[in-house]
Amino acid sequence: MTSKLEQLKQFTTVVADTGDLDAITRLKPVDATTNPSLLLKAAAIHGYADLLKQVKADSKGNVDLACDKFAVAVGSGILKVIPGRISTEVDARLSFDEPALLAKAHQLIELYEAAGVGRDRVLIKLASTWEGIRAAEKLEREGIQTNLTLLFSFAQAQACADAGVFLISPFVGRIYDWYKKSTGQEYVGAEDPGVQSVTRIYDYYKANGYDTVVMGASFRNLGQIEHLAGCDRLTISPELLQQLSEDQGDLPRILKPGNAGEPRQQLNESQFRWAMNEDAMATDKLAEGIRQFARDQEKLEKVMAEKA
């Protein structure tokens, strides 16, 4: 028998949710993704100490530039050991400022290109706010592909698909967390609200012919991953990837094109904002996620401001 990880790779592109180069090298995902929280962890890894010193020196006291250079340097290193793409996140504090999001995205792409990495190997990560989705729409037209993150609602998924974004990252585990806390119930398998959310989005996209890639993210357990087997992509932590690689059980494909999905509906700004307002979970988790990434970005800036 092959491991569940190898079985999963037969119908789902596996992405490593980490900045740990050793873990990526060991587990051999196709793509990788980072965010401010993961970069903060990477900055504490001994193997990145020299790189940290280098970007601090190169940035000459510009903390914002140092953070971007570190993100790009980590991403460039990861790209040397994976065949696919790296997702690099824009500062979460810009999530409601479309022009600032565009400027930061262009800066990250310029830094990657200066490092010898073409834009065809990078996805720019943006929070799935209305402003983030509009910025992504413009970037896609320029040939800069995007990963829309902190996605919790069906309305966000609808708007992203209509904007022509390359990829979305619905957060399975955080949806599960919210419902477990608010109801006091434990959810397993197909009853998991996070699993149900991604399944609904996947079926909607396939039924309506959208090209946007669905990449489930933020997993709490193997059951969530197993019930989304067949999703276009899944981004998984090294710990759960390791568990999948050690499990020899059977892993059937659950998600497949061809299932019935809801009819296409294009949302304008007021419809999008109302749908988000009506979804307490999505409103809470989007705001919380942006705050958490902003705090970790600030901690990373503190690290960069310390003398080398």
Side-chain angles (χ1 to χ4, degrees):
M1 282 288 292
T2 55
S3 71
K4 284 187 176 177
L5 180 58
E6 290 309 310
Q7 292 174 68
L8 182 63
K9 287 178 178 179
Q10 299 306 306
F11 34 73
T12 291
T13 299
V14 174
V15 180
D17 196 6
T18 182
D20 184 343
L21 198 55
D22 289 340
I24 291 168
T25 304
R26 185 177 72 253
L27 295 162
K28 297 181 172 54
V30 174
D31 293 342
T33 180
T34 63
N35 60 44
S37 307
L38 295 173
L39 288 172
L40 185 63
K41 287 181 184 175
I45 296 172
H46 180 70
Y48 282 124
D50 290 341
L51 180 59
L52 209 53
K53 285 181 186 175
Q54 187 64 51
V55 297
K56 286 182 184 182
D58 290 347
S59 303
K60 298 181 171 61
N62 184 331
V63 171
D64 183 60
L65 180 61
C67 289
D68 287 346
K69 279 181 172 283
F70 183 64
V72 168
V74 171
S76 299
I78 290 170
L79 286 172
K80 290 174 183 172
V81 297
I82 62 170
R85 294 181 168 197
I86 185 72
S87 288
T88 298
E89 193 144 351
V90 166
D91 187 337
R93 294 168 297 184
L94 308 177
S95 295
F96 304 101
D97 187 339
E98 183 186 328
L101 289 169
L102 289 167
K104 180 62 75 175
H106 290 140
Q107 180 170 320
L108 288 168
I109 289 295
E110 286 168 13
L111 287 171
Y112 268 115
E113 288 176 341
V117 175
R119 61 180 62 185
D120 60 316
R121 296 202 69 197
V122 179
L123 294 177
I124 296 295
K125 280 177 83 175
L126 304 157
S128 300
T129 57
W130 180 258
E131 294 79 8
I133 295 167
R134 300 281 67 83
E137 186 173 36
K138 291 184 173 68
L139 292 168
E140 293 285 350
R141 287 183 191 146
E142 297 172 20
I144 297 171
Q145 292 188 307
T146 56
N147 171 351
L148 273 288
T149 188
L150 294 176
L151 192 145
F152 303 99
S153 76
F154 190 64
Q156 288 173 298
Q158 288 175 297
C160 285
D162 286 324
V165 310
F166 177 75
L167 180 148
I168 62 166
S169 298
F171 275 38
V172 179
R174 296 194 195 187
I175 294 173
Y176 162 83
D177 293 344
W178 191 92
Y179 280 100
K180 183 180 177 182
K181 183 178 178 181
S182 65
T183 67
Q185 293 181 40
E186 183 60 70
Y187 298 93
V188 179
E191 299 303 311
D192 187 312
V195 169
Q196 292 177 346
S197 176
V198 176
T199 301
R200 181 186 181 194
I201 292 165
Y202 178 91
D203 289 342
Y204 176 74
Y205 278 16
K206 302 311 174 194
N208 290 291
Y210 287 113
D211 292 328
T212 298
V213 173
V214 182
M215 182 173 77
S218 161
F219 293 104
R220 298 293 179 256
N221 54 63
L222 291 186
Q224 292 172 336
I225 296 168
E226 291 171 6
H227 277 82
L228 292 175
C231 193
D232 299 327
R233 303 186 189 193
L234 297 175
T235 180
I236 305 169
S237 69
E239 294 78 16
L240 289 174
L241 283 174
Q242 189 65 42
Q243 289 179 43
L244 284 168
S245 73
E246 293 168 356
D247 191 335
Q248 302 296 311
D250 187 43
L251 183 70
R253 180 170 187 171
I254 305 295
L255 299 190
K256 298 175 184 175
N259 293 328
E262 291 147 79
R264 182 185 290 229
Q265 181 191 8
Q266 190 157 357
L267 304 178
N268 61 30
E269 182 177 354
S270 61
Q271 289 170 325
F272 173 86
R273 294 194 186 282
W274 179 251
M276 288 295 291
N277 183 74
E278 290 293 278
D279 190 331
M281 176 276 297
T283 300
D284 287 353
K285 298 310 285 186
L286 174 61
E288 179 188 73
I290 289 171
R291 285 196 300 270
Q292 286 175 344
F293 282 160
R295 297 298 82 78
D296 283 341
Q297 183 69 28
E298 288 161 1
K299 289 174 187 173
L300 187 61
E301 287 176 351
K302 259 186 142 174
V303 172
M304 293 301 168
E306 292 168 0
K307 293 203 186 302

